[in-house]
């Protein structure tokens, strides 16, 4: 009894937190992602609220609230996919063609119309029968509910696939990485729910036994969202990238890397972001973004990394011991001794002279 009360208290907390987070998201600088995400949280909050009312028997005093959550649960899959598209597709907007995603919600809503005209006592009896019903493999309802897993599974799969493709090109987008992890957790929740549904007829398990655990799992997912918001994370401040088309990004990335690796553009001691961008015929904003998202550093730092690698190679491949570090600096693209020493200390952790001594000892 005490365990049940604790679980219900956690679910109540998660339910109201879903509404609160939605309010916070809509109140802050609103983006399409935030609006869609807030809508998803409101939908999840309503679903948890109704299920909790049923679980705690409070619904007996409010029977006409029954039936709201079931149709709107079919909004969750398209909301997840549209949320994903809003952060991985450049200039993504909601268009009329996206309305077809509401077909599942509309279909279930129409099927549910007769239920809405039932009396309060009839609604309670219907729900109680459903909660205590143990389906069989020969029943239509077993396969009807199974189709829901296929419906949401397709949407979640497509969303994860989009995020993985994006992550392959841009590895350090916090918002994309965070949503990817959330959807993987949600996928695990769906798989466990599906397994329960498949074995329910064999073990004669009652759906009501699984209801609390199902709600608790969703509550924990909401808690993870709340944690990311209230730990002052910057994931919700991420903007859609300047260049979100992955095929174009891949092509530009190849051009940039080729210019650095094969043409050794970094050896030009007057190299700047603007001159480099002009040499590859790509705008400086796109070059900067691709370098930042691919190498997780600025253009200047990346050039210093290549120059440092060149300097180390020169030092290591010198046949004789007469090496002038200032010559190494100029030969590797640095235009002065100070920047050479600073880059060496920052990236290698030791001074150029210490590195030279280490190489000499190793040769001996």
């Amino acid at each position: 009894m005490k365990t049940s009360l604790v679980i219900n208290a956690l679910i109540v907390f998660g339910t109201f937190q879903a509404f609160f987070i939605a309010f916070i998201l809509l109140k802050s600088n609103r983006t399409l992602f935030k609006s869609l995400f807030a809508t998803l949280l409101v939908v999840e909050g309503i679903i948890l609220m109704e299920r909790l009312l049923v679980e705690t028997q409070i619904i007996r005093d409010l029977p006409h609230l029954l039936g709201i959550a079931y149709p709107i649960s079919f909004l969750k899959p398209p909301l997840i996919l549209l949320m994903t598209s809003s952060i991985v597709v450049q200039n993504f907007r909601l268009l009329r063609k996206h309305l077809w995603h509401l077909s599942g919600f509309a279909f279930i809503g129409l099927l549910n119309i007769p239920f809405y005209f039932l009396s309060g006592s009839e609604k309670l009896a219907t729900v109680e029968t459903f909660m205590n019903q143990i389906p069989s493999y020969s029943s239509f309802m077993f396969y009807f509910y199974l189709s829901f897993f296929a419906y949401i599974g397709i949407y979640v799969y497509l969303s994860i696939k989009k995020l993985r493709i994006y992550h392959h090109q841009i590895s350090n987008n916090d918002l994309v990485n965070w949503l990817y992890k959330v959807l993987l957790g949600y996928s695990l929740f769906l798989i466990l729910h599906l397994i329960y549904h498949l074995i329910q007829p064999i073990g004669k398990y009652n759906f009501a036994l699984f209801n609390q655990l199902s709600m608790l799992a969703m509550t924990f997912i909401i808690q993870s969202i709340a944690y990311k918001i209230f730990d002052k994370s910057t994931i919700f401040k991420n903007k859609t990238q300047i260049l979100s088309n992955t095929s174009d990004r891949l092509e530009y990335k190849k051009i940039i890397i080729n210019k650095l690796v094969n043409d050794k553009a970094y050896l030009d001691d007057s190299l700047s972001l603007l001159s480099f961008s002009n040499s590859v015929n790509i705008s400086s904003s796109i070059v900067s973004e691709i370098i930042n998202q691919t190498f997780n550093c600025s253009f200047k730092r990346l050039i210093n990394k290549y120059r440092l690698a060149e300097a180390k190679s020169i030092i290591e491949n010198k046949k004789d011991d007469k090496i002038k570090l200032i010559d190494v600096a100029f030969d590797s693209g640095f235009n002065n001794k100070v920047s050479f020493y600073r880059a060496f200390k920052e990236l290698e952790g030791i001074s150029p002279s210490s590195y030279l001594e280490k190489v000499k000892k190793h040769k001996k």
Side-chain angles (χ1 to χ4, degrees), residues 133-351:
Q133 176 183 339
I134 298 175
S136 67
Y137 293 127
S138 60
S139 68
F140 168 77
M141 293 309 295
F142 175 84
Y143 296 99
F144 180 76
Y145 292 127
L146 193 61
S147 67
F148 175 70
F149 287 101
Y151 171 72
I152 192 169
I154 290 171
Y155 274 97
V156 173
Y157 169 76
L158 291 175
S159 299
I160 290 176
K161 185 178 179 181
K162 279 178 175 284
L163 293 169
R164 287 187 65 182
I165 292 173
Y166 191 91
H167 177 77
H168 182 70
Q169 301 298 326
I170 306 170
S171 61
N172 66 338
N173 185 299
D174 291 338
L175 180 55
V176 170
N177 295 342
W178 173 81
L179 183 58
Y180 179 72
K181 291 176 183 177
V182 168
L183 290 185
L184 286 181
Y186 187 55
S187 298
L188 178 61
F189 163 75
L190 288 173
I191 291 170
L192 292 175
H193 207 151
L194 173 61
I195 292 172
Y196 178 83
H197 180 74
L198 292 173
I199 66 173
Q200 196 178 2
I202 299 175
K204 303 296 181 182
Y205 300 115
N206 189 300
F207 181 78
L209 297 175
F210 192 76
N211 193 41
Q212 273 195 320
L213 293 178
S214 172
M215 289 191 292
L216 192 60
M218 186 51 62
T219 298
F220 286 144
I221 291 176
I222 292 172
Q223 298 306 315
S224 72
I225 296 168
Y227 172 76
K228 278 297 181 183
I229 290 178
F230 297 116
D231 74 343
K232 298 181 180 179
S233 171
T234 59
I235 58 172
F236 293 106
K237 297 178 182 178
N238 277 221
K239 296 180 180 178
T240 303
Q241 308 305 312
I242 297 170
L243 181 67
S244 293
N245 186 299
T246 53
S247 59
D248 288 347
R249 181 179 290 276
L250 184 60
E251 183 62 30
Y252 289 154
K253 180 180 174 182
K254 287 179 181 177
I255 293 172
I256 291 169
I257 292 176
N258 180 67
K259 191 70 176 177
L260 290 170
V261 175
N262 297 326
D263 295 348
K264 294 190 175 184
Y266 54 86
L267 294 181
D268 178 3
D269 61 8
S270 63
L271 187 69
S272 66
L273 175 59
L274 182 59
S275 63
F276 181 84
S277 301
N278 290 335
S279 68
V280 293
N281 200 27
I282 303 172
S283 74
S284 57
S285 59
I286 290 178
V287 170
S288 180
E289 181 184 303
I290 290 176
I291 287 175
N292 181 264
Q293 296 292 345
T294 303
F295 301 100
N296 196 25
C297 66
S298 65
F299 172 79
K300 182 180 179 180
R301 186 176 178 84
L302 180 64
I303 295 303
N304 280 343
K305 285 182 177 180
Y306 275 102
R307 286 172 175 169
L308 186 62
E310 184 75 17
K312 288 166 62 179
S313 177
I314 292 172
I315 293 172
E316 291 166 7
N317 293 322
K318 278 284 185 179
K319 301 283 185 187
D320 53 66
D321 293 336
K322 296 179 180 180
I323 301 176
K324 290 184 179 180
L325 289 174
I326 188 61
D327 292 336
V328 174
F330 290 144
D331 289 344
S332 54
F334 291 97
N335 57 15
N336 61 72
K337 187 176 180 179
V338 174
S339 60
F340 176 56
Y341 271 72
R342 185 186 297 123
F344 224 106
K345 285 286 288 184
E346 180 184 351
L347 299 173
E348 196 64 27
I350 58 176
S351 66

Side-chain angles (χ1 to χ4, degrees), residues 22-62:
F23 172 75
I24 293 296
L25 290 174
L26 293 176
K27 190 177 179 182
S28 59
N29 295 328
R30 191 179 303 183
T31 63
L32 179 57
F33 173 79
K34 286 184 179 180
S35 298
L36 291 169
F37 192 30
T39 304
L40 178 65
L41 286 171
V42 169
V43 168
E44 195 59 63
I46 293 172
I47 293 170
L48 281 175
M49 178 68 76
E50 184 176 315
R51 291 173 67 182
L52 185 63
L53 291 175
V54 172
E55 179 68 27
T56 57
Q57 300 295 311
I58 297 176
I59 197 67
R60 293 186 176 278
D61 298 321
L62 303 163

Side-chain angles (χ1 to χ4, degrees), residues 70-118:
Y70 183 54
I72 68 170
S73 64
F74 283 78
L75 291 174
K76 288 163 56 177
L79 279 172
I80 290 171
L81 183 61
L82 293 173
M83 275 169 48
T84 300
S85 298
S86 71
I87 57 174
V88 301
V89 178
Q90 186 179 11
N91 299 323
F92 179 80
R93 293 184 300 166
L94 292 179
L95 303 172
R96 287 186 179 180
K97 66 179 183 179
H98 295 124
L99 289 174
W100 74 267
H101 289 295
L102 300 178
S103 55
F105 164 70
F107 175 69
I108 297 300
L110 288 173
L111 287 181
N112 235 34
I113 287 177
F115 179 83
Y116 297 133
F117 287 97
L118 296 176

